[in-house]
Amino acid sequence: MTTRLRLAILIYGMIQGVVFGIGTVLVLAVPSFSEQAMTLMPTVVILSILLAAPIAWFMAPRLRLRFWQQRERQQAPRRVTLS
């Protein structure tokens, strides 16, 4: 099992909770959605389960890199200014 997969599994539950919370707030806050909450809430649950996996897979490598922002800045092409 790779480190990326282990990290993705570890953060999957947290990401799913956040996605579920965002979906729940949207369903309950929008008046037209709150009227259909009984049918939309199972959809929110299923979508949170499905969307959390690719988000966790995308975020896992960034958790491994200690200073990934500095590394991205170093790899970015530098602009040349003429004075």
Side-chain angles (χ1 to χ4, degrees), residues 34-72:
S34 63
E35 295 171 359
Q36 302 172 355
M38 293 299 288
T39 57
L40 288 177
M41 286 308 291
T43 306
V44 169
V45 171
I46 292 169
L47 283 176
S48 70
I49 291 169
L50 295 176
L51 289 177
I55 295 171
W57 186 256
F58 177 73
M59 287 181 65
R62 284 165 172 68
L63 296 175
R64 284 186 66 193
L65 301 175
R66 191 169 185 182
F67 302 109
W68 67 275
Q69 290 177 343
Q70 285 180 343
R71 292 180 187 175
E72 281 186 353

Side-chain angles (χ1 to χ4, degrees), residues 26-39:
L26 284 175
V27 167
L28 297 177
V30 177
S32 62
F33 290 162
S34 63
E35 295 171 359
Q36 302 172 355
M38 293 299 288
T39 57

Side-chain angles (χ1 to χ4, degrees), residues 3 7 9-10 12 14 16 20-21 23 29 40-42 45 65 76 81 83:
T3 306
L7 283 172
I9 291 170
L10 185 67
Y12 173 80
M14 292 178 273
Q16 184 196 6
F20 174 75
L40 288 177
M41 286 308 291
V45 171
L65 301 175
T81 57
S83 30

